[in-house]
Amino acid sequence: MRPIHRRLATTVTGLVLLPAALVGCGIGGDDEDEPAAKTERAPAEEAGARSRERVQAYLDAMTAKDVAAGRSQLCELLHDGFDLAATGPNGDFADHFQVPAAAITDVRSGPHGQEVSVSVSVTAGKSKVTRPLVFTVTRDGGDWCIAGEAPGRTAAPSSSPPRPEGSPPPRPDPNPGG
């Protein structure tokens, strides 16, 4: 009779421990997967929002010619270079440049942090040019900051409409001036 009691005790112990083992494996239990998914999404959403805020503050500072406000958006590592170049002849805060329009066009995750693409219109005298820029925003300690600025991508300029496939290339105009 002993073997029957042992089997019964083993079966009862297994049935008691089975729910705990299944929850430990992720089967059953309370919907613990749902909060985990929310916390995984939250950092990505926060990164995008914080990056957008930093770059928008920098663009606003450029428009207002507020060098201190612009500097405060940058990571500390960039401060010395910014101080030397910001108001120089080609600096973002140069006196002869005006920034009538600046807009964020895209925010995405990149290899070195969040990449925030912008379109900036700059005027100098009567000349106006619009340039794409990409700001890299990263977390430095507990805060977000701009870690880099680079030229953005522009679409290849097309001087003529696309030709249908198989058609001959256009001939040069023999009389270009008139």
Side-chain angles (χ1 to χ4, degrees), residues 74-175:
L74 302 176
C75 295
E76 190 172 334
L77 184 63
L78 298 179
H79 286 184
D80 290 339
F82 176 81
D83 293 342
L84 293 172
T87 58
N90 293 320
D92 290 347
F93 294 81
D95 287 333
H96 60 281
F97 291 144
Q98 297 300 315
V99 181
I104 295 173
T105 58
D106 188 29
V107 179
R108 66 179 56 182
S109 185
H112 302 292
Q114 296 292 309
E115 293 179 352
V116 182
S117 299
V118 301
S119 175
V120 179
S121 293
V122 178
T123 59
K126 293 182 181 183
S127 299
K128 179 179 178 181
V129 67
T130 300
R131 293 283 187 246
L133 295 173
V134 176
F135 290 93
T136 301
V137 181
T138 189
R139 196 169 192 145
D140 185 16
D143 204 6
W144 293 88
C145 59
I146 296 172
E149 175 184 345
R153 289 185 153 173
T154 56
S158 177
S159 59
S160 61
R163 332 179 249 121
E165 193 170 319
S167 65
R171 293 186 211 189
D173 187 1
N175 216 357

Side-chain angles (χ1 to χ4, degrees), residues 30-78:
D30 297 334
D31 291 324
E32 294 179 31
D33 293 340
E34 197 173 312
K38 287 181 183 175
T39 56
E40 286 177 15
R41 280 181 264 149
E45 290 172 5
E46 178 189 7
R50 298 293 181 198
S51 298
R52 181 179 287 277
E53 288 171 10
R54 284 296 180 175
V55 171
Q56 187 61 54
Y58 186 81
L59 295 174
D60 292 344
M62 264 190 349
T63 301
K65 299 286 184 202
D66 187 343
V67 178
R71 184 181 197 269
S72 70
Q73 304 310 313
L74 302 176
C75 295
E76 190 172 334
L77 184 63
L78 298 179

